[in-house]
Amino acid sequence: MVAPVALICCGNRLDPRDDLGPRVYDLLLRQALPAGVELLDGALAGLDLMYWLEGRRLVVLVDALADEAGGAGGVRLYDGAELAAMAGNYGHGAGLAYLAAMAPRVLDPAPTIRLLGAAPAPGAERTLARAALEMVHAG
Amino acid sequence: MGRIVCNIPLNRVEGDLEIKVAIENGAVADAWSVATMFRGFERFLVGRGALDGLVVTPRICGICSTTHLAAAAYALDDVAGIRPPPNALRHRNLALAAEQVQSDIRQSVLMFLPDFVGEAYRDRPWHAEAEARYAPFRGARVIDVVQQTKRMLEVIAILGGQWPHSSFMVPGGVAFRPGPTELLDLRQVIAQQRRWYERRVLGCRCEHWLELDGAEALERWLQDPAHRESDAGWLIRLCKETGLDALGGHYDSYLSYGSLPAPEPPEQTFIPAGFLAQGAVHPLDQRLVAEQVPYSWYADYAGGLHPAEGVTEPFASGSERGKYSMSKAPRYDGRPAETGPLAERLIAGDSLFADLTRSGGNVLARQLARLVRPAAIIPQMEHWVEQLLADPKGSYYQSPGEMPDGQGYGLIEASRGALGHWIRIEAGRIAHYQVITPTAWNGSPRDEEDRRGPWEEALVGIPVKDPENPVEIGHIVRSFDPCLVCTVHRLGDREPWLRL
């Protein structure tokens, strides 16, 4: 039985432009999460994350955003439809947008998907971790 | 008719690839493969701990991270002079095979076949049905493949104890010993994947497919409605309908590093190694691999350098002439070579694929070799699981002791072909690391003798019906399954060029 809520932190911890998700993961790993919430390191996986979406009620993805999308240190929230609208055709680089586009087509029931992101900035991982925790607490 | 120069960025590859072609009199007169990003992995591995390649290199690529992990582990096995126990080799092989099977099916159904749904084919009688099956996001086969192939990950997750970016392969074996419960789970996942693959993708039993020994046998196979309606059947028919069984050949030189080592002596690989040129297969000798840079944005050096001595020094001042790619030009014994599933089949002496390429390499043979590769691999996966179940006390690890200084290499067949890691360790640290990926072979730029890379050469001479929508070029390059994130790593400027 999988936890109904998954908090999946994505990114490349070897690349400072893309390591925000892994840094949020490291912070949350040291904290008590609400019952029914599973924390996962999504790393560079895109479509392969579908495996971890199966059977969930809510999936919160955490990822770094490009500067122009993430604003100045703020947190940006995308719902599943907004994320899916950014998807291009499948390719080796198919990422979270393609995942969000395909999830409602291949999973029954499909989870609600949210993406929390921020541009890399000092302290951004703490802001993002707080936002992620609030979201999973709210359920 | 004048000369038209088109720059064609191909999307749906990992990282961006740009193909530049000159079209004269309705055919490609010349072609250039432009990798637009610089990779830095070899440079930032230098100075790190001897084992760090096990953690760093799987992050070169999200698609073939297990294969990079294996190449890194093989290289360290070689430095330590150790051969892992048979069960460790089975364990590694199972994870590698799972990654490859998933990639082969996804690339074929989610990337290659959707190219037949485009506007260029709207007037064909099969278009509506092809669209219902392979349209991006909504095609019935697209949805089914996304649904089913996620199961293969369970194999890697079970064997790796972690996913993604598992680092369970270590010098001397693997870091996790599966128990009977895990092995029975593996058996179940593989059996389910086989049933689905045979029913929907291949259209017949794996063993039946492997009995096909030539083009005539394939034609007979295609007469069965269940075969015709499988993805393999559709691939064959669409390629023939569009003439792709006669397009996309090049030098007819092929390279395989070999893969999936036999657990027990003699030391063979399930996928054989070798170099095929002028119809003769030669034993692989990795000392004959070298990289040249006359047309690559790297500081020049004379001749080619073996990767054990290779240099990765980016050089793009803007004033150099002739250089056009961030990919180096790998050569085997001085010659360009195609690598990937077709090369594997030809080097293995497969009579079906020898027959299909009798008039030269082509898109149909190249793509079909990829889609049917699981027919050989899945039964072998079942065999390895049964061997592990029958040997519950066998070892999965032999300690190499403290990692010694020295140099070594790890060679493997990734989903896209020959992948090599070369390492030198000094004073317990990585002093030198070089990676040559399959896409560097297939998508290489010209070399010192001005010979084009394989897919550049494959494009020359092909007819282009519509220079505004040159689908022929897309089919040919896509059949090599380019994966540019493995080749290069920095996004270049985008221009409003044609996009396939």
Side-chain angles (χ1 to χ4, degrees), chain A residues 43 48 51-52 90 92 105, chain B residues 12 14 106 154 163 481:
Chain A
D48 281 340
Y51 179 72
W52 303 118
Y90 179 76
H92 291 166
R105 300 170 194 269
Chain B
R12 290 189 281 137
E14 184 78 86
R106 283 187 176 175
E154 289 182 42
W163 184 90
D481 191 8

Side-chain angles (χ1 to χ4, degrees), chain B residues 89-295:
Chain B
L89 295 177
R90 294 183 183 108
H91 185 125
R92 288 176 175 181
N93 287 352
L94 278 163
L96 289 163
E99 183 173 84
Q100 198 154 63
V101 167
Q102 187 199 53
S103 177
D104 287 345
I105 300 169
R106 283 187 176 175
Q107 192 276 344
S108 299
V109 177
L110 305 186
M111 296 175 71
F112 184 83
L113 284 165
D115 282 342
F116 292 96
V117 175
E119 281 301 311
Y121 300 118
R122 188 152 300 278
D123 60 347
R124 301 295 181 103
W126 41 262
H127 185 270
E129 201 175 345
E131 189 168 33
R133 292 176 67 96
Y134 300 115
F137 299 110
R138 57 190 164 79
R141 298 298 306 130
V142 168
I143 290 170
D144 185 46
V145 163
V146 172
Q147 257 171 347
Q148 293 296 328
T149 53
K150 68 180 188 297
R151 292 261 82 91
M152 250 320 175
L153 276 183
E154 289 182 42
V155 173
I156 303 172
I158 290 168
L159 292 167
Q162 174 200 329
W163 184 90
H165 300 309
S166 316
S167 288
F168 61 96
M169 297 184 200
V170 293
V174 291
F176 174 68
R177 177 193 190 89
T181 307
E182 284 91 3
L183 292 173
L184 290 172
D185 284 347
L186 279 182
R187 179 199 265 172
Q188 187 183 24
V189 173
I190 296 166
Q192 183 274 336
Q193 288 285 286
R194 180 208 258 258
R195 283 194 299 273
W196 168 74
Y197 175 75
E198 290 180 336
R199 190 171 64 250
R200 308 301 296 274
V201 180
L202 193 60
C204 67
R205 293 272 296 166
C206 294
E207 289 78 4
H208 182 182
W209 175 268
L210 295 173
E211 288 169 359
L212 300 181
D213 59 1
E216 282 186 20
L218 184 64
E219 278 304 316
R220 285 196 299 276
W221 178 88
L222 204 50
Q223 301 310 310
D224 185 314
H227 303 164
R228 290 174 62 80
E229 292 304 314
S230 69
D231 294 318
W234 270 85
L235 172 67
I236 297 164
R237 288 188 288 140
L238 289 174
C239 284
K240 290 189 170 201
E241 287 266 343
T242 52
L244 294 174
D245 53 343
L247 281 185
H250 50 84
Y251 304 103
D252 286 331
S253 52
Y254 299 90
L255 175 71
S256 167
Y257 284 163
S259 202
L260 305 173
E264 310 281 359
E267 292 189 14
Q268 295 173 331
T269 48
F270 178 67
I271 295 173
F275 176 67
L276 170 61
Q278 277 106 40
V281 177
H282 306 274
L284 178 77
D285 181 351
Q286 65 86 30
R287 292 171 299 182
L288 298 179
V289 172
E291 289 190 298
Q292 305 179 8
V293 295
Y295 290 94

Side-chain angles (χ1 to χ4, degrees), chain B residues 474-490:
Chain B
H475 289 308
I476 290 172
V477 178
R478 195 97 66 214
S479 70
F480 286 90
D481 191 8
C483 184
L484 261 289
V485 83
C486 296
T487 307
V488 285
H489 271 190
R490 180 173 56 78

Side-chain angles (χ1 to χ4, degrees), chain B residues 1-82:
Chain B
M1 189 171 175
R3 181 181 175 100
I4 304 169
V5 177
C6 298
N7 294 293
I8 308 165
L10 265 85
N11 60 1
R12 290 189 281 137
V13 298
E14 184 78 86
D16 273 10
L17 161 69
E18 292 164 7
I19 303 293
K20 184 177 174 184
V21 293
I23 300 174
E24 287 179 2
N25 302 319
V28 174
D30 208 345
W32 298 264
S33 171
V34 182
T36 58
M37 297 182 284
F38 168 64
R39 60 182 299 150
F41 276 87
E42 290 115 328
R43 288 167 65 92
F44 71 69
L45 275 164
V46 171
R48 300 183 67 114
L51 303 183
D52 279 13
L54 297 170
V55 176
V56 173
T57 64
R59 287 166 171 80
I60 289 176
C61 179
I63 300 280
C64 47
S65 61
T66 305
T67 314
H68 277 286
L69 171 64
Y74 292 172
L76 291 169
D77 289 341
D78 191 36
V79 172
I82 198 166

Side-chain angles (χ1 to χ4, degrees), chain A residues 101-121:
Chain A
M102 291 306 292
R105 300 170 194 269
V106 303
L107 299 178
D108 184 19
T112 299
I113 295 176
R114 300 273 185 269
L115 184 141
L116 281 169

Side-chain angles (χ1 to χ4, degrees), chain B residues 320-342:
Chain B
E320 69 279 0
R321 297 177 66 84
K323 291 181 183 286
Y324 64 90
S325 178
M326 292 302 307
S327 174
K328 296 179 188 174
R331 295 294 183 263
Y332 184 87
D333 199 14
R335 288 179 277 187
E338 172 179 344
T339 187
L342 177 59

